[in-house]
Coordinates of all heavy atoms in Angstrom, one line a residue:
M1 N 80.9 205.8 77.6 CA 80.8 204.7 78.6 C 80.5 205.3 80.0 O 81.3 206.1 80.5 CB 82.1 204.0 78.5 CG 82.4 202.9 79.5 SD 83.7 201.9 79.0 CE 85.2 202.8 79.5
K2 N 79.4 204.9 80.6 CA 79.0 205.5 81.9 C 79.0 204.4 82.9 O 78.6 203.3 82.7 CB 77.6 206.1 81.8 CG 77.6 207.5 81.5 CD 76.2 208.1 81.5 CE 76.2 209.5 80.8 NZ 74.8 209.8 80.3
H3 N 79.5 204.7 84.1 CA 79.5 203.8 85.2 C 78.9 204.5 86.4 O 78.9 205.7 86.5 CB 80.9 203.3 85.5 CG 81.6 202.6 84.3 ND1 81.1 201.4 83.8 CD2 82.6 202.9 83.6 CE1 81.8 201.1 82.8 NE2 82.8 202.0 82.7
T4 N 78.4 203.6 87.3 CA 77.9 204.2 88.6 C 79.0 203.9 89.6 O 79.5 202.8 89.7 CB 76.6 203.5 89.0 OG1 75.7 203.6 87.9 CG2 76.0 204.2 90.2
C5 N 79.3 204.9 90.4 CA 80.3 204.7 91.4 C 79.8 203.8 92.5 O 78.7 204.0 93.0 CB 80.7 206.1 92.0 SG 81.8 205.9 93.4
P6 N 80.5 202.7 92.9 CA 80.0 201.8 93.9 C 80.0 202.4 95.3 O 79.4 201.9 96.2 CB 81.0 200.6 93.8 CG 82.2 201.2 93.2 CD 81.8 202.3 92.3
S7 N 80.7 203.6 95.4 CA 80.8 204.2 96.8 C 79.7 205.3 97.0 O 79.0 205.3 97.9 CB 82.2 204.8 96.9 OG 82.3 205.3 98.2
C8 N 79.6 206.2 96.0 CA 78.7 207.3 96.2 C 77.5 207.2 95.3 O 76.5 208.0 95.3 CB 79.4 208.7 96.0 SG 79.9 208.9 94.3
H9 N 77.5 206.2 94.4 CA 76.4 206.0 93.5 C 76.1 207.1 92.5 O 75.0 207.1 91.9 CB 75.1 205.6 94.2 CG 75.3 204.3 95.1 ND1 75.5 203.1 94.6 CD2 75.5 204.2 96.4 CE1 75.7 202.2 95.5 NE2 75.7 202.9 96.7
N10 N 77.0 207.9 92.3 CA 76.9 208.9 91.2 C 77.3 208.3 89.9 O 78.2 207.4 89.9 CB 77.8 210.1 91.5 CG 77.1 211.1 92.5 OD1 75.9 211.3 92.4 ND2 77.9 211.7 93.3
K11 N 76.7 208.8 88.8 CA 77.1 208.4 87.5 C 78.5 209.0 87.2 O 78.7 210.2 87.4 CB 76.1 208.8 86.4 CG 74.8 208.0 86.5 CD 74.7 207.1 85.3 CE 73.5 206.3 85.2 NZ 73.3 205.3 86.3
I12 N 79.4 208.2 86.7 CA 80.7 208.7 86.3 C 80.8 208.7 84.8 O 80.7 207.7 84.1 CB 81.8 207.8 86.9 CG1 81.7 207.7 88.4 CG2 83.2 208.3 86.5 CD1 82.6 206.6 89.0
K13 N 81.0 209.9 84.3 CA 81.2 210.0 82.9 C 82.7 209.9 82.6 O 83.5 210.4 83.4 CB 80.8 211.4 82.4 CG 79.3 211.4 82.0 CD 78.9 212.7 81.3 CE 78.8 213.8 82.3 NZ 78.5 215.1 81.6
S14 N 83.1 209.2 81.6 CA 84.5 209.0 81.3 C 85.3 210.3 81.1 O 86.5 210.4 81.4 CB 84.7 208.0 80.1 OG 83.9 208.4 79.1
T15 N 84.5 211.3 80.6 CA 85.2 212.6 80.4 C 85.5 213.3 81.7 O 86.3 214.3 81.8 CB 84.3 213.5 79.5 OG1 83.0 213.5 80.0 CG2 84.3 213.1 78.1
D16 N 84.8 212.9 82.8 CA 85.0 213.6 84.1 C 86.1 213.0 84.9 O 86.6 213.5 85.9 CB 83.7 213.5 85.0 CG 82.6 214.4 84.4 OD1 82.9 215.3 83.7 OD2 81.4 214.1 84.8
I17 N 86.5 211.8 84.5 CA 87.6 211.1 85.2 C 88.9 211.8 85.0 O 89.4 212.0 83.8 CB 87.7 209.6 84.7 CG1 86.4 208.9 85.1 CG2 88.9 209.0 85.4 CD1 86.3 207.5 84.4
K18 N 89.6 212.2 86.1 CA 90.8 213.0 85.9 C 92.0 212.1 86.2 O 93.1 212.2 85.6 CB 90.8 214.2 86.9 CG 90.0 215.3 86.3 CD 89.9 216.5 87.2 CE 88.9 217.5 86.7 NZ 87.5 217.1 87.0
N19 N 91.8 211.2 87.2 CA 93.0 210.3 87.6 C 92.7 208.9 87.2 O 91.7 208.3 87.6 CB 93.2 210.5 89.1 CG 93.7 211.8 89.4 OD1 94.6 212.4 88.7 ND2 93.2 212.4 90.5
T20 N 93.6 208.3 86.5 CA 93.5 206.9 86.3 C 94.9 206.2 86.6 O 95.9 206.9 86.7 CB 93.3 206.6 84.8 OG1 94.3 207.2 84.0 CG2 91.9 207.1 84.3
N21 N 94.8 205.0 86.9 CA 96.0 204.2 87.3 C 96.0 202.9 86.7 O 95.0 202.2 86.7 CB 95.9 204.1 88.8 CG 97.3 203.7 89.4 OD1 98.3 203.5 88.7 ND2 97.3 203.5 90.7
K22 N 97.1 202.5 86.1 CA 97.1 201.2 85.4 C 98.1 200.3 86.2 O 99.2 200.6 86.4 CB 97.6 201.3 84.0 CG 97.1 200.2 83.1 CD 97.2 200.5 81.7 CE 97.1 199.3 80.7 NZ 96.3 198.2 81.2
K23 N 97.5 199.2 86.7 CA 98.4 198.2 87.4 C 98.3 196.9 86.7 O 97.4 196.1 86.8 CB 97.8 198.0 88.8 CG 98.2 199.1 89.8 CD 97.7 198.8 91.2 CE 97.9 200.0 92.1 NZ 97.0 199.9 93.3
G24 N 99.3 196.7 85.8 CA 99.3 195.5 85.0 C 98.1 195.5 84.1 O 97.9 196.5 83.4
I25 N 97.2 194.5 84.2 CA 96.0 194.5 83.3 C 94.9 195.2 84.0 O 93.8 195.4 83.4 CB 95.6 193.1 82.9 CG1 95.1 192.2 84.1 CG2 96.6 192.4 82.1 CD1 94.3 191.0 83.8
F26 N 95.1 195.6 85.3 CA 94.0 196.2 86.0 C 94.0 197.7 85.9 O 95.1 198.4 86.1 CB 94.1 195.8 87.5 CG 94.0 194.4 87.7 CD1 95.1 193.6 88.1 CD2 92.8 193.7 87.5 CE1 95.0 192.2 88.3 CE2 92.7 192.3 87.6 CZ 93.8 191.6 88.0
F27 N 92.9 198.3 85.5 CA 92.8 199.7 85.2 C 91.9 200.3 86.3 O 90.8 199.9 86.5 CB 92.1 199.9 83.9 CG 92.3 201.3 83.3 CD1 93.5 201.8 83.0 CD2 91.1 202.0 83.2 CE1 93.6 203.1 82.5 CE2 91.2 203.3 82.7 CZ 92.5 203.9 82.4
E28 N 92.5 201.3 87.0 CA 91.7 201.9 88.1 C 91.4 203.4 87.8 O 92.2 204.0 87.2 CB 92.5 201.9 89.4 CG 92.9 200.5 89.8 CD 93.9 200.4 90.9 OE1 94.5 201.5 91.3 OE2 94.2 199.3 91.4
V29 N 90.2 203.8 88.2 CA 89.9 205.2 87.9 C 89.4 205.8 89.3 O 88.9 205.2 90.1 CB 88.7 205.4 86.9 CG1 89.2 204.9 85.5 CG2 87.5 204.7 87.3
E30 N 89.6 207.2 89.4 CA 89.2 207.9 90.6 C 87.8 208.5 90.3 O 87.7 209.2 89.3 CB 90.2 208.9 90.9 CG 90.0 209.5 92.3 CD 91.0 210.6 92.6 OE1 91.2 211.4 91.7 OE2 91.6 210.6 93.7
C31 N 86.9 208.2 91.2 CA 85.5 208.8 91.1 C 85.6 210.3 91.2 O 86.2 210.8 92.2 CB 84.6 208.2 92.1 SG 83.0 209.1 92.2
P32 N 85.2 211.2 90.3 CA 85.3 212.6 90.4 C 84.4 213.2 91.5 O 84.7 214.3 92.0 CB 84.8 213.1 89.0 CG 84.1 212.0 88.4 CD 84.5 210.7 89.0
S33 N 83.4 212.5 92.0 CA 82.5 213.0 93.0 C 83.0 212.8 94.4 O 83.1 213.6 95.3 CB 81.1 212.4 92.9 OG 80.7 212.4 91.6
C34 N 83.4 211.5 94.7 CA 83.8 211.2 96.1 C 85.3 210.8 96.2 O 85.8 210.5 97.3 CB 82.9 210.1 96.6 SG 83.2 208.5 95.8
L35 N 86.0 210.9 95.1 CA 87.5 210.6 95.0 C 87.8 209.2 95.5 O 88.9 208.9 96.0 CB 88.2 211.6 95.8 CG 88.0 213.1 95.4 CD1 88.9 214.0 96.3 CD2 88.3 213.3 93.9
T36 N 86.9 208.2 95.4 CA 87.2 206.8 95.7 C 87.8 206.2 94.5 O 87.3 206.5 93.4 CB 85.9 206.1 96.1 OG1 85.3 206.7 97.2 CG2 86.2 204.6 96.4
W37 N 88.8 205.4 94.7 CA 89.4 204.7 93.5 C 88.5 203.4 93.3 O 88.2 202.7 94.2 CB 90.8 204.3 93.8 CG 91.7 205.4 93.7 CD1 92.1 206.3 94.6 CD2 92.4 205.9 92.4 NE1 92.9 207.3 94.1 CE2 93.1 207.0 92.8 CE3 92.4 205.4 91.1 CZ2 93.9 207.7 91.8 CZ3 93.2 206.1 90.2 CH2 93.9 207.2 90.5
I38 N 88.1 203.3 92.0 CA 87.3 202.1 91.7 C 88.0 201.3 90.5 O 88.7 201.9 89.8 CB 85.9 202.5 91.3 CG1 85.9 203.5 90.2 CG2 85.1 203.0 92.5 CD1 84.5 203.8 89.6
R39 N 87.6 200.1 90.5 CA 88.2 199.3 89.3 C 87.1 198.2 89.0 O 86.2 198.0 89.8 CB 89.5 198.6 89.7 CG 89.3 197.7 90.9 CD 90.4 196.6 90.9 NE 90.1 195.8 92.1 CZ 90.9 195.6 93.2 NH1 92.0 196.2 93.2 NH2 90.5 194.9 94.2
L40 N 87.3 197.7 87.8 CA 86.4 196.6 87.4 C 86.7 195.4 88.3 O 87.8 195.2 88.7 CB 86.8 196.3 85.9 CG 85.8 195.6 85.1 CD1 84.5 196.4 84.9 CD2 86.3 195.4 83.7
N41 N 85.6 194.6 88.5 CA 85.7 193.4 89.2 C 86.9 192.6 88.7 O 87.0 192.4 87.5 CB 84.4 192.7 89.1 CG 84.3 191.3 89.7 OD1 84.9 190.4 89.3 ND2 83.6 191.3 90.8
K42 N 87.7 192.0 89.5 CA 88.9 191.3 89.1 C 88.7 190.2 88.1 O 89.4 190.1 87.1 CB 89.7 190.8 90.4 CG 91.0 191.5 90.5 CD 91.8 190.9 91.7 CE 93.1 191.7 91.8 NZ 93.8 191.6 93.1
T43 N 87.7 189.4 88.4 CA 87.4 188.2 87.6 C 87.0 188.7 86.2 O 87.5 188.2 85.2 CB 86.2 187.4 88.2 OG1 86.4 187.4 89.6 CG2 86.1 186.0 87.6
Q44 N 86.2 189.8 86.2 CA 85.7 190.3 84.9 C 86.9 190.9 84.1 O 87.0 190.8 82.9 CB 84.6 191.3 85.1 CG 83.4 190.7 85.6 CD 82.3 191.7 85.9 OE1 82.6 192.9 86.1 NE2 81.1 191.3 86.1
E45 N 87.8 191.6 84.8 CA 89.0 192.2 84.2 C 89.8 191.1 83.5 O 90.4 191.2 82.4 CB 89.8 193.0 85.2 CG 90.9 193.8 84.6 CD 90.4 195.1 84.1 OE1 90.1 196.1 84.8 OE2 90.2 195.2 82.8
I46 N 90.0 190.0 84.2 CA 90.8 188.9 83.7 C 90.1 188.3 82.5 O 90.8 188.0 81.4 CB 91.0 187.8 84.8 CG1 92.0 188.3 85.9 CG2 91.6 186.5 84.2 CD1 92.0 187.6 87.2
I47 N 88.8 188.1 82.5 CA 88.1 187.5 81.4 C 88.2 188.5 80.2 O 88.4 188.1 79.1 CB 86.6 187.3 81.7 CG1 86.4 186.2 82.8 CG2 85.8 186.8 80.5 CD1 85.1 186.1 83.4
K48 N 88.1 189.8 80.5 CA 88.2 190.8 79.4 C 89.6 190.7 78.8 O 89.7 190.7 77.5 CB 88.0 192.2 80.1 CG 87.9 193.3 79.1 CD 87.6 194.6 79.8 CE 88.6 195.7 79.3 NZ 88.5 196.9 80.1
A49 N 90.6 190.6 79.6 CA 92.0 190.5 79.1 C 92.1 189.3 78.2 O 92.8 189.3 77.2 CB 93.0 190.5 80.2
A50 N 91.5 188.2 78.7 CA 91.6 186.9 78.0 C 90.9 187.0 76.6 O 91.4 186.5 75.6 CB 90.9 185.8 78.8
G51 N 89.7 187.7 76.6 CA 89.0 187.9 75.4 C 89.8 188.7 74.3 O 89.9 188.4 73.2
I52 N 90.5 189.8 74.8 CA 91.3 190.6 73.9 C 92.5 189.8 73.4 O 92.9 189.8 72.3 CB 91.8 191.9 74.6 CG1 90.5 192.8 74.9 CG2 92.8 192.7 73.8 CD1 90.8 193.9 75.9
S53 N 93.1 189.0 74.3 CA 94.3 188.2 73.9 C 93.8 187.2 72.9 O 94.6 186.9 71.9 CB 94.8 187.4 75.1 OG 94.9 188.2 76.2
L54 N 92.6 186.6 73.0 CA 92.1 185.7 72.1 C 92.0 186.3 70.7 O 92.4 185.7 69.7 CB 90.7 185.2 72.6 CG 90.3 183.8 72.3 CD1 91.2 182.9 73.1 CD2 88.8 183.6 72.9
L55 N 91.5 187.5 70.7 CA 91.4 188.2 69.4 C 92.8 188.4 68.8 O 93.0 188.2 67.6 CB 90.7 189.6 69.5 CG 90.6 190.4 68.2 CD1 89.5 189.8 67.4 CD2 90.4 191.8 68.5
L56 N 93.7 188.9 69.6 CA 95.1 189.1 69.2 C 95.8 187.8 68.6 O 96.3 187.9 67.5 CB 96.0 189.6 70.3 CG 95.9 191.1 70.6 CD1 96.6 191.5 71.8 CD2 96.5 191.9 69.4
I57 N 95.6 186.8 69.4 CA 96.3 185.5 69.0 C 95.7 185.0 67.6 O 96.4 184.7 66.7 CB 96.1 184.5 70.1 CG1 97.0 184.9 71.3 CG2 96.6 183.1 69.6 CD1 96.6 184.2 72.6
T58 N 94.3 185.0 67.6 CA 93.7 184.4 66.4 C 93.9 185.4 65.2 O 94.1 184.9 64.1 CB 92.2 184.3 66.6 OG1 91.6 185.5 67.1 CG2 91.9 183.1 67.6
S59 N 94.0 186.7 65.4 CA 94.3 187.6 64.3 C 95.7 187.3 63.8 O 95.9 187.3 62.6 CB 94.2 189.1 64.7 OG 92.9 189.3 65.3
L60 N 96.7 187.2 64.7 CA 98.0 186.9 64.3 C 98.1 185.6 63.5 O 98.8 185.6 62.5 CB 98.9 186.9 65.5 CG 99.4 188.2 66.1 CD1 100.1 188.0 67.4 CD2 100.2 189.0 65.1
L61 N 97.4 184.6 64.0 CA 97.5 183.3 63.3 C 96.9 183.5 61.9 O 97.5 182.9 60.9 CB 96.6 182.3 64.0 CG 97.2 181.8 65.3 CD1 96.2 180.9 66.1 CD2 98.4 180.9 65.1
N62 N 95.9 184.3 61.7 CA 95.3 184.5 60.4 C 96.3 185.4 59.5 O 96.4 185.1 58.3 CB 94.0 185.2 60.5 CG 92.9 184.2 60.8 OD1 93.1 183.0 60.6 ND2 91.7 184.7 61.2
I63 N 96.9 186.4 60.1 CA 97.8 187.2 59.3 C 99.0 186.4 58.8 O 99.3 186.5 57.6 CB 98.3 188.4 60.2 CG1 97.2 189.4 60.4 CG2 99.5 189.1 59.5 CD1 97.5 190.4 61.6
F64 N 99.5 185.5 59.6 CA 100.7 184.8 59.2 C 100.2 183.4 58.5 O 101.1 182.6 58.2 CB 101.6 184.5 60.3 CG 102.2 185.8 60.8 CD1 101.9 186.3 62.0 CD2 103.2 186.5 60.0 CE1 102.4 187.5 62.5 CE2 103.7 187.7 60.5 CZ 103.4 188.2 61.7
N65 N 98.9 183.3 58.3 CA 98.4 182.1 57.6 C 98.8 180.8 58.2 O 99.0 179.8 57.5 CB 98.8 182.2 56.2 CG 97.6 182.5 55.3 OD1 96.5 182.1 55.6 ND2 97.9 183.3 54.2
I66 N 98.9 180.8 59.6 CA 99.3 179.6 60.2 C 98.0 178.7 60.3 O 96.9 179.2 60.7 CB 99.8 179.8 61.6 CG1 101.1 180.7 61.5 CG2 100.1 178.5 62.4 CD1 101.5 181.4 62.8
Q67 N 98.1 177.5 59.9 CA 96.9 176.6 59.9 C 95.8 177.2 59.2 O 94.7 177.3 59.8 CB 96.5 176.2 61.4 CG 97.7 175.7 62.3 CD 97.9 174.2 62.1 OE1 97.0 173.5 61.9 NE2 99.1 173.8 62.3
S68 N 96.0 177.6 58.0 CA 95.0 178.4 57.3 C 93.6 177.7 57.1 O 92.6 178.3 56.9 CB 95.5 178.9 56.0 OG 95.9 177.8 55.2
E69 N 93.7 176.4 57.2 CA 92.4 175.7 57.1 C 91.5 175.9 58.2 O 90.3 175.7 58.2 CB 92.6 174.1 56.9 CG 93.3 173.4 58.0 CD 94.8 173.3 57.8 OE1 95.5 174.2 57.4 OE2 95.3 172.2 58.1
Y70 N 92.0 176.5 59.3 CA 91.2 176.8 60.5 C 90.9 178.3 60.6 O 90.4 178.8 61.5 CB 91.9 176.4 61.8 CG 92.2 174.9 61.8 CD1 93.5 174.4 61.9 CD2 91.1 174.0 61.8 CE1 93.7 173.0 62.0 CE2 91.4 172.6 61.9 CZ 92.7 172.1 62.0 OH 92.9 170.8 62.1
S71 N 91.3 179.1 59.5 CA 91.2 180.5 59.6 C 89.8 181.0 60.0 O 89.7 182.0 60.7 CB 91.7 181.2 58.4 OG 90.9 180.9 57.3
S72 N 88.8 180.4 59.4 CA 87.4 180.8 59.8 C 87.1 180.5 61.2 O 86.4 181.3 61.9 CB 86.4 180.2 58.8 OG 86.4 178.8 59.0
I73 N 87.6 179.5 61.7 CA 87.4 179.2 63.2 C 88.1 180.2 64.0 O 87.6 180.7 65.0 CB 87.9 177.7 63.5 CG1 87.2 176.7 62.7 CG2 87.8 177.4 65.0 CD1 87.7 175.3 62.8
F74 N 89.4 180.5 63.6 CA 90.1 181.6 64.3 C 89.4 182.9 64.4 O 89.3 183.5 65.4 CB 91.5 181.8 63.7 CG 92.5 180.6 63.9 CD1 93.5 180.4 63.0 CD2 92.3 179.8 65.0 CE1 94.4 179.3 63.2 CE2 93.2 178.7 65.2 CZ 94.2 178.5 64.2
S75 N 88.8 183.2 63.2 CA 88.1 184.5 63.1 C 86.9 184.5 64.1 O 86.6 185.5 64.8 CB 87.6 184.7 61.7 OG 88.7 184.8 60.8
T76 N 86.2 183.4 64.1 CA 85.0 183.2 65.0 C 85.4 183.3 66.4 O 84.8 184.1 67.2 CB 84.3 181.9 64.7 OG1 84.1 181.7 63.3 CG2 82.9 181.9 65.4
V77 N 86.5 182.6 66.8 CA 86.9 182.6 68.2 C 87.4 184.0 68.6 O 87.0 184.5 69.6 CB 88.1 181.6 68.4 CG1 88.7 181.8 69.7 CG2 87.6 180.2 68.2
G78 N 88.1 184.7 67.7 CA 88.5 186.1 67.9 C 87.4 187.0 68.1 O 87.4 187.9 69.0
F79 N 86.3 186.8 67.3 CA 85.2 187.7 67.3 C 84.5 187.5 68.7 O 84.1 188.5 69.3 CB 84.2 187.4 66.2 CG 83.0 188.2 66.2 CD1 83.0 189.5 65.8 CD2 81.7 187.6 66.6 CE1 81.9 190.3 65.9 CE2 80.6 188.4 66.6 CZ 80.7 189.7 66.2
V80 N 84.3 186.2 69.1 CA 83.7 186.0 70.4 C 84.5 186.6 71.5 O 83.9 187.2 72.4 CB 83.5 184.4 70.6 CG1 83.1 184.1 72.0 CG2 82.5 183.9 69.6
G81 N 85.8 186.5 71.4 CA 86.7 187.1 72.4 C 86.5 188.5 72.6 O 86.3 189.0 73.7
I82 N 86.5 189.3 71.5 CA 86.3 190.7 71.6 C 84.9 191.1 72.0 O 84.7 192.1 72.7 CB 86.8 191.5 70.3 CG1 87.1 192.9 70.5 CG2 85.8 191.3 69.1 CD1 88.3 193.2 71.4
L83 N 84.0 190.3 71.6 CA 82.6 190.5 72.0 C 82.4 190.4 73.5 O 81.8 191.3 74.2 CB 81.7 189.4 71.4 CG 80.2 189.8 71.2 CD1 80.0 190.9 70.2 CD2 79.4 188.6 70.7
I84 N 83.0 189.4 74.1 CA 83.0 189.2 75.6 C 83.7 190.4 76.2 O 83.2 191.0 77.2 CB 83.7 187.9 76.0 CG1 82.9 186.7 75.5 CG2 84.0 187.8 77.5 CD1 83.7 185.4 75.6
A85 N 84.9 190.8 75.7 CA 85.6 192.0 76.2 C 84.7 193.2 76.2 O 84.7 194.0 77.1 CB 86.9 192.2 75.5
M86 N 84.0 193.4 75.1 CA 83.2 194.6 75.0 C 82.0 194.6 75.9 O 81.7 195.6 76.6 CB 82.7 194.7 73.5 CG 83.6 195.4 72.6 SD 83.1 195.3 70.9 CE 81.6 196.3 70.9
I87 N 81.4 193.4 76.1 CA 80.2 193.3 77.0 C 80.7 193.7 78.4 O 80.0 194.4 79.1 CB 79.6 191.9 76.9 CG1 78.9 191.7 75.6 CG2 78.7 191.6 78.1 CD1 78.5 190.3 75.3
I88 N 81.9 193.1 78.8 CA 82.4 193.4 80.1 C 82.7 194.9 80.3 O 82.5 195.5 81.3 CB 83.6 192.5 80.5 CG1 83.1 191.1 80.6 CG2 84.3 193.0 81.7 CD1 84.2 190.0 80.8
T89 N 83.3 195.5 79.2 CA 83.6 196.9 79.3 C 82.4 197.8 79.5 O 82.4 198.7 80.3 CB 84.3 197.3 78.0 OG1 85.5 196.5 77.8 CG2 84.7 198.8 78.0
F90 N 81.3 197.4 78.9 CA 80.1 198.2 79.0 C 79.2 197.9 80.2 O 78.5 198.7 80.7 CB 79.3 198.2 77.7 CG 80.0 199.0 76.6 CD1 80.6 198.4 75.6 CD2 79.9 200.4 76.7 CE1 81.3 199.1 74.6 CE2 80.5 201.1 75.7 CZ 81.2 200.5 74.6
F91 N 79.2 196.6 80.5 CA 78.2 196.1 81.6 C 78.9 195.6 82.8 O 78.2 195.1 83.7 CB 77.2 195.1 81.0 CG 76.5 195.6 79.8 CD1 76.8 195.2 78.5 CD2 75.4 196.5 79.9 CE1 76.1 195.6 77.4 CE2 74.7 197.0 78.8 CZ 75.1 196.5 77.6
G92 N 80.2 195.6 82.8 CA 80.9 195.0 83.9 C 80.7 195.7 85.2 O 80.4 196.9 85.3
K93 N 80.8 195.0 86.3 CA 80.5 195.6 87.6 C 81.8 196.2 88.2 O 82.9 195.6 88.1 CB 80.1 194.5 88.6 CG 78.6 194.4 88.8 CD 78.3 193.9 90.2 CE 76.9 194.1 90.7 NZ 76.0 195.0 90.0
H94 N 81.7 197.4 88.7 CA 82.9 198.0 89.3 C 82.8 197.9 90.8 O 81.8 197.9 91.4 CB 83.0 199.5 88.9 CG 83.5 199.7 87.5 ND1 82.7 199.3 86.4 CD2 84.6 200.1 87.0 CE1 83.4 199.6 85.3 NE2 84.6 200.0 85.6
E95 N 84.0 197.9 91.4 CA 84.0 197.9 92.9 C 85.0 198.9 93.4 O 86.0 199.3 92.7 CB 84.4 196.5 93.3 CG 85.8 196.0 92.8 CD 86.0 194.5 93.0 OE1 85.1 193.8 93.4 OE2 87.2 194.1 92.8
A96 N 84.8 199.4 94.6 CA 85.7 200.3 95.2 C 86.9 199.6 95.8 O 86.8 198.5 96.2 CB 85.0 201.0 96.4
I97 N 88.0 200.3 95.7 CA 89.3 199.7 96.2 C 89.5 200.2 97.6 O 89.5 201.4 97.9 CB 90.5 200.2 95.3 CG1 90.3 199.7 93.9 CG2 91.8 199.6 95.9 CD1 91.2 200.4 92.9
K98 N 89.6 199.3 98.5 CA 89.7 199.7 99.9 C 91.1 199.7 100.3 O 92.0 199.1 99.8 CB 88.9 198.7 100.8 CG 87.4 199.0 100.8 CD 86.6 197.7 100.9 CE 85.2 198.0 100.4 NZ 84.8 197.0 99.4
Ligands
LIG101 ZN1 82.0 208.1 94.0

């Protein structure tokens, strides 16, 4: 997963990241080139968390066979959720924390 630093515009390799910080659902990383803390756009981070939650909830419903007549719908919804989360992970916009 490669990102461009919004501050110095260098490519950031995930292996170069030394410092990370987790604040609730928000994940911050320190740019190895300019030492600016960056994070995913807040809205995108929330959508990503929602997508992952969607997968978790629908998977749990399927595991415990709750409303099993809807299990294929749950699977589809869960798949869409994780798909959205993945798209945001790979293509999401990062911003510098001021
Ligand atoms: Zn930077």
